[in-house]
Amino acid sequence: MSSSFLQWAANVNVVKALVANSGNRILFTGDGYPKETNETLALDSSPYPTTTRRLGIPAPTNALTITPIGTAGDDIEKSVSYAYTIVGKWADGSEVESGPSPATAVFDWYEDITPRLTGFTDATATGVYTTHFRIYRVNTGNTGSEFQYVDEMEVATTTYDDTVTDDDLQEVIATTYWTSPDATLSGLTATSHGLVFGFVGNTIYPSEVFITYAFPSIYSLVVESDIVGFGYTGSLVVVLTETVPYLLTGQDPEALSLQRLGYQQSCVSARSIVNIPGGVIYASPDGLFMIDESGVGDLITKDLFTKTQWNALTPANLFGFYYDDSYIGFFSGTTVGFRLKLTSDEESPLEYKTLSLTQNVYGGEYSSAADLLYLIQTKGAVREIVSWESGAVVNYTWTSKEFSFSSRDTFTAGMIIGDFTAGNVTLTFYADGAQVDSKEITSNDLFRISGMTGETFQVKAVGKTTIDRLIIGRSVMEVISV
């Protein structure tokens, strides 16, 4: 598994995809329509996961057309109807399958003819990934008849002749009620029993169990006001809204239970929501509020702040983490933070400590693998990732856009203008999509580049150096004259 960081320009919710052997596949919302990617795709364009796929596949909206091929005999063998789905197959063998198309009208299958199916329509939604059509057939007139798998074909194919016998039909279609997630789905949260939850406005959308790209609208639940975010503890999802919190319980999306809690404690910051052992903590208008696994709520900062003092800290800008038995909170765009030790008893009450940083902080991430809390801070006009408390700056990875020219060109020299106090930087050079050179740069001195000839060019930088300018030229004179 890569140790690189992915980054987004917006606040996103990221969860693991609950798919075995999927190359560390993740799902995320908050960056346009819901997306998924895996390590191979994401790191092709590090640090941004720009190589992504839309989460789910919209169901086709048109029914197939059936044309009889051959000369029909006198007898009807059976009456049938067809539907099809659209499938995207990943390299790891996992699949994404859409809901079914509308069923065809009933077709009378006479002896000596073959039904020819046409009208297959691929999905056109932005970012969608598709590879196959999957065909299902039902024999009408039978009690309890259902659409069963017939065959599949690549999406480039437009015609299918059905010669499959009834005995060779396979599994019943599973995607009848599956719908792809709404383009504005937010707040993805994964649970330990295979469900993923998202929301749109005041509506909660659960996924199918371990099918984390399908969010059937028949499972949706509505609360009284817009949702701000989800917390998760034990087997409970805590739904935090602009008015009151709710508890969502259950492991079957068809039998979920929603309980409105009586606490008038809205959530004022989605980024403040932190899952802790035995509960969920979030920023309310009165302070930090905790809801435990039984649904009991407590304003845990009532002895630390008045409402006026709390609101003076701008809790709408609060983002937090659970780290070292504490709620660690920072106020985005400032140097202000705090640490609230959560373990307490009668002799040792909650311990609160103000944190003062040397640089403005904008976000962060806790790494369970490294047991470190990383913060996004600023150094001048540059943002850097710092390991909190250790103060160690983490290597960044930056990739330039691809520069294109109308004819082949050659670049031979370069120079970095920056501060090398924090360490060196490794530059990797690409021409026409292929790596041509890589070198470690240790100073502002001029350097040479080998083999950088082509029509398209790109540069990747990995390191700790604060770079003000990176200059690449066709010659030494062109570089030093900039």
Side-chain angles (χ1 to χ4, degrees):
M1 181 176 180
S2 171
S3 59
S4 298
F5 286 93
L6 297 178
Q7 67 183 53
W8 289 264
N11 292 326
V12 296
N13 290 93
V14 183
V15 300
K16 292 185 177 180
L18 307 178
V19 179
N21 303 316
S22 62
N24 298 312
R25 192 177 312 168
I26 59 171
L27 322 175
F28 59 95
T29 55
D31 182 36
Y33 54 81
K35 300 178 177 71
E36 61 181 338
T37 189
N38 63 15
E39 190 171 76
T40 300
L41 292 176
L43 296 183
D44 278 347
S45 52
S46 178
Y48 303 97
T50 53
T51 307
T52 61
R53 295 171 178 172
R54 192 185 192 98
L55 183 59
I57 301 174
T61 58
N62 66 294
L64 294 171
T65 298
I66 309 173
T67 304
I69 304 299
T71 302
D74 296 330
D75 298 327
I76 298 176
E77 293 186 353
K78 56 196 167 192
S79 296
V80 299
S81 178
Y82 293 89
Y84 73 102
T85 63
I86 308 172
V87 178
K89 295 189 177 185
W90 290 67
D92 56 50
S94 60
E95 298 178 353
V96 176
E97 185 173 6
S98 76
S101 69
T104 65
V106 174
F107 175 79
D108 292 331
W109 189 329
Y110 285 83
E111 59 183 354
D112 299 326
I113 66 101
T114 299
R116 173 166 290 175
L117 307 178
T118 56
F120 295 92
T121 303
D122 197 4
T124 58
T126 303
V128 73
Y129 174 73
T130 65
T131 58
H132 291 76
F133 296 121
R134 191 163 285 166
I135 303 162
Y136 296 88
R137 186 178 84 209
V138 64
N139 296 331
T140 63
N142 296 331
T143 302
S145 57
E146 297 180 280
F147 282 94
Q148 291 179 265
Y149 174 85
V150 176
D151 203 351
E152 67 181 25
M153 61 188 191
E154 295 183 353
V155 292
T157 308
T158 58
T159 301
Y160 181 82
D161 292 343
D162 183 11
T163 60
V164 177
T165 67
D166 291 349
D167 290 339
D168 289 331
L169 294 176
Q170 298 180 45
E171 70 273 7
V172 172
I173 188 170
T175 69
T176 300
Y177 299 107
W178 293 6
T179 50
S180 59
D182 188 282
T184 59
L185 191 77
S186 300
L188 284 189
T189 297
T191 69
S192 59
H193 42 267
L195 287 176
V196 170
F197 292 87
F199 65 86
V200 177
N202 67 334
T203 304
I204 304 165
Y205 289 94
S207 74
E208 289 283 355
V209 178
F210 289 107
I211 309 294
T212 53
Y213 58 83
F215 291 76
S217 57
I218 59 172
Y219 300 154
S220 63
L221 300 159
V222 176
V223 295
E224 68 184 44
S225 58
D226 282 354
I227 299 165
V228 178
F230 296 131
Y232 177 65
T233 178
S235 60
L236 302 176
V237 174
V238 180
V239 183
L240 300 169
T241 77
E242 293 179 350
T243 54
V244 298
Y246 290 76
L247 285 186
L248 187 60
T249 57
Q251 300 182 13
D252 182 345
E254 295 185 83
L256 295 171
S257 175
L258 189 63
Q259 176 188 357
R260 182 184 187 275
L261 301 179
Y263 307 110
Q264 297 295 322
Q265 295 291 338
S266 63
C267 179
V268 298
S269 170
R271 298 176 72 197
S272 73
I273 302 169
V274 172
N275 304 325
I276 68 169
V280 171
I281 297 176
Y282 65 97
S284 80
D286 298 324
L288 285 182
F289 197 78
M290 185 179 80
I291 297 174
D292 68 19
E293 290 180 318
S294 61
V296 175
D298 181 28
L299 186 64
I300 60 176
T301 56
K302 57 182 176 293
D303 296 326
L304 299 173
F305 302 103
T306 65
K307 185 173 182 177
T308 300
Q309 290 171 330
W310 173 249
N311 281 281
L313 293 172
T314 62
N317 292 326
L318 178 65
F319 62 93
F321 308 92
Y322 178 69
Y323 181 64
D324 194 21
D325 294 326
S326 301
Y327 183 104
I328 310 291
F330 300 95
F331 297 91
S332 182
T334 75
T335 59
V336 178
F338 65 87
R339 179 174 191 157
L340 183 62
K341 195 77 170 178
L342 298 173
T343 53
S344 65
D345 52 40
E346 292 184 0
E347 296 181 359
S348 176
L350 293 176
E351 178 186 335
Y352 178 83
K353 178 182 179 182
T354 300
L355 304 174
S356 181
L357 307 176
T358 58
Q359 302 172 22
N360 288 342
V361 61
Y362 292 89
E365 178 66 20
Y366 170 70
S367 168
S368 57
D371 190 26
L372 290 173
L373 176 59
Y374 295 101
L375 298 179
I376 302 171
Q377 296 185 341
T378 54
K379 183 178 182 181
V382 179
R383 293 192 179 185
E384 60 186 15
I385 299 174
V386 176
S387 173
W388 184 63
E389 290 190 319
S390 74
V393 178
V394 179
N395 278 340
Y396 58 77
T397 300
W398 171 84
T399 305
S400 74
K401 72 176 184 179
E402 190 173 69
F403 296 90
S404 299
F405 296 83
S406 58
S407 60
R408 292 178 66 78
D409 212 332
T410 300
F411 291 85
T412 65
M415 178 186 293
I416 285 177
I417 299 174
D419 179 4
F420 286 81
T421 303
N424 302 329
V425 60
T426 298
L427 297 182
T428 305
F429 303 92
Y430 301 87
D432 294 337
Q435 179 179 328
V436 295
D437 198 3
S438 180
K439 55 183 66 231
E440 185 176 11
I441 311 301
T442 60
S443 69
N444 292 313
D445 294 341
L446 190 80
F447 58 82
R448 293 286 190 174
I449 308 169
S450 300
M452 201 171 179
T453 299
E455 294 182 4
T456 63
F457 304 91
Q458 200 167 23
V459 181
K460 180 170 72 174
V462 178
K464 300 180 176 70
T465 300
T466 300
I467 298 176
D468 297 319
R469 298 181 71 187
L470 171 59
I471 305 166
I472 304 295
R474 297 173 181 84
S475 66
V476 170
M477 288 302 298
E478 188 175 69
V479 172
I480 62 178
S481 63
V482 173

